[in-house]
Amino acid sequence: MSLSNYFTPISGLLGGSLIGLSAATLLLFNGDILGASGMMSSFVLTPRKISTDPTQQWKLAFLAAFSLTTRVYVTMVDVDALKDERLGYSEGIPIVSPLGFILGGFFVGFGSKLGNGCTTGHGICGLARRSTRSLTAVLAFMAAGIFAATGCSPTCPFHPYLRDSYESVGKHLPTEFTIGIGTVLASLAAGAVLPGFFGRGLHENATAMEKDEYDNNKRKIVPAIFSAAFFSVGLAISQMTISSKIYGFLNVNGLRDGTWDPTLACVMGGGLVVSFVSYQWVKGFNAFKNPKALDCPLSQKSTVGRFNVPTNKVIDTSLILGEAMFGLGWGIAGLCPGPAIFLAFAGYPNVLLKWWPSFFVGSLLADKVKSLLVKIQSSSSPSDKSKAQ
């Protein structure tokens, strides 16, 4: 078959633009970054903070809106949205084994935590603000993803462990049980956001600044809901939730066979352009002079509102190693956090029961490793520390 049989540039650009709009909404209205891996790992690393800290309520709102949008989309808008016609019929599109999902989830969780980002945080947001650190991260995870997806061919010694037979396709599809789990999780997410709307107000002796901070936190909820809806629909339209779209790009053997699918590049490009435009309205991150660039996000009161945009420029071993591990996990299982959230709420068993638990374990372990590295660095250079003081 020719390239045109698989390549869907229009849906890729449209879906990618919606993902970029999701990032732009969070940035311009709330001052926050769209980072799927960081957001999801925070639910395990700091669960109490997420559930009780008013500054984190927007994350619950985002997850709730994303889950409900996903359920509505796959049940009412397009029931064939996740149908993958190439899965099980095309040699370049593998069937991931249970072990493949476990290792893929672990590597993505560990790597994205160690490298502080994934395809959305570094790719859509980081590249849009012209971050050299994010460019390095993208090159690292792209190279590793292509290596893993292309290298895990039938001649690879790991192939029997990471790939399943084409006859097992049915085991990878949602069942009534897993769809029920996805529905319950979506309901729980929706319920968790209610305190953000109807929670207890401030004490009567609150200062003016405390009142402004309280108002700002509540004002973040509605933009987060819209951002999540854009993200979910963008993933569905771009078909980044479909395995063949990921492997069709990452497995470069398709260039030789005439089956390579560059749709993912269109998705990244569409998202990057929209995200880049949004940064032109953020003072200090605009590439072109803009006298109307914002000092404060649109939904926030200027007294305490601010943009929470990363400024770290360090390119170190943790970044490169972490993003390479993320790329390996991406290439092994064909999943990064955004699509994995979508598929979990849609009831895909291997994503729900294998990929996500492994992702959280990887995130927890990487968090411990990062803490250990900080202690080692601080204890090994006391002279530098004294000079800094």
Side-chain angles (χ1 to χ4, degrees):
M1 292 186 179
S2 64
L3 179 68
S4 60
N5 289 88
Y6 306 128
F7 186 31
T8 53
I10 295 177
S11 63
L13 286 169
L14 178 58
S17 297
L18 283 172
I19 294 171
L21 182 59
S22 170
T25 302
L26 271 187
L27 176 70
L28 294 178
F29 285 88
N30 289 3
D32 294 310
I33 298 298
L34 176 64
S37 61
M39 188 181 302
M40 292 306 295
S41 64
S42 66
F43 287 105
V44 171
L45 297 174
T46 56
R48 184 172 182 179
K49 183 178 181 181
I50 290 293
S51 59
T52 61
D53 187 347
T55 64
Q56 302 296 304
Q57 284 293 312
W58 70 267
K59 294 182 180 180
L60 289 173
F62 184 98
L63 185 63
F66 187 99
S67 66
L68 293 177
T69 303
T70 298
R71 293 300 308 160
V72 169
Y73 196 94
V74 299
T75 58
M76 299 180 185
V77 178
D78 185 2
V79 295
D80 294 324
L82 297 174
K83 186 177 181 180
D84 193 345
E85 295 181 353
R86 294 183 68 187
L87 192 64
Y89 301 97
S90 178
E91 287 187 12
I93 310 304
I95 308 298
V96 181
S97 70
L99 178 60
F101 278 107
I102 292 171
L103 290 177
F106 177 83
F107 283 140
V108 169
F110 188 98
S112 60
K113 184 61 183 177
L114 188 63
N116 288 323
C118 59
T119 48
T120 51
H122 280 307
I124 301 297
C125 299
L127 292 182
R129 62 177 182 270
R130 299 164 293 129
S131 166
T132 305
R133 175 178 164 86
S134 287
L135 175 60
T136 304
V138 171
L139 292 174
F141 70 63
M142 278 294 184
I146 290 171
F147 171 79
T150 305
C152 195
S153 62
T155 59
C156 173
F158 301 108
H159 185 273
Y161 308 101
L162 301 178
R163 301 294 181 243
D164 220 335
S165 65
Y166 286 127
E167 290 75 22
S168 67
V169 171
K171 298 178 183 178
H172 294 256
L173 301 178
T175 64
E176 289 187 11
F177 175 69
T178 56
I179 291 174
I181 294 177
T183 303
V184 169
L185 290 175
S187 301
L188 290 174
V193 77
L194 292 178
F197 282 109
F198 308 109
R200 185 173 58 186
L202 289 172
H203 56 87
E204 56 185 30
N205 295 323
T207 64
M209 183 169 290
E210 287 175 333
K211 291 178 180 178
D212 285 348
E213 288 178 345
Y214 176 80
D215 289 341
N216 277 359
N217 292 330
K218 292 183 76 69
R219 290 181 178 192
K220 282 189 173 187
I221 293 177
V222 172
I225 289 173
F226 277 95
S227 173
F230 293 144
F231 191 31
S232 176
V233 175
L235 288 171
I237 291 177
S238 65
Q239 297 182 305
M240 289 298 99
T241 54
I242 293 178
S243 179
S244 64
K245 284 294 179 183
I246 305 303
Y247 285 116
F249 179 85
L250 294 179
N251 186 353
V252 294
N253 285 328
L255 289 169
R256 176 195 62 204
D257 303 331
T259 59
W260 186 62
D261 182 358
T263 301
L264 188 148
C266 292
V267 176
M268 291 288 288
L272 183 56
V273 168
V274 176
S275 184
F276 175 79
V277 171
S278 71
Y279 275 99
Q280 305 317 300
W281 295 89
V282 180
K283 187 170 289 187
F285 293 93
N286 47 315
F288 309 103
K289 290 184 179 180
N290 182 2
K292 296 184 179 180
L294 303 171
D295 286 311
C296 176
L298 293 171
S299 74
Q300 304 291 282
K301 291 185 176 181
S302 59
T303 50
V304 291
R306 66 184 183 277
F307 286 98
N308 302 304
V309 180
T311 56
N312 186 1
K313 297 181 180 180
V314 176
I315 299 174
D316 54 12
T317 304
S318 294
L319 174 72
I320 297 173
L321 179 61
E323 295 307 323
M325 289 186 67
F326 164 71
L328 286 176
W330 191 28
I332 289 172
L335 287 170
C336 60
I341 304 171
F342 193 104
L343 292 173
F345 285 123
Y348 276 70
N350 284 318
V351 181
L352 264 173
L353 307 177
K354 296 180 178 67
W355 195 93
W356 273 115
S358 301
F359 172 92
F360 290 132
V361 170
S363 295
L364 284 166
L365 182 59
D367 189 60
K368 299 296 183 184
V369 170
K370 288 180 72 173
S371 298
L372 180 61
L373 289 175
V374 170
K375 290 181 180 179
I376 292 175
Q377 290 173 355
S378 61
S379 62
S380 63
S381 56
S383 59
D384 293 340
K385 188 174 180 181
S386 61
K387 288 179 183 178
Q389 293 175 342

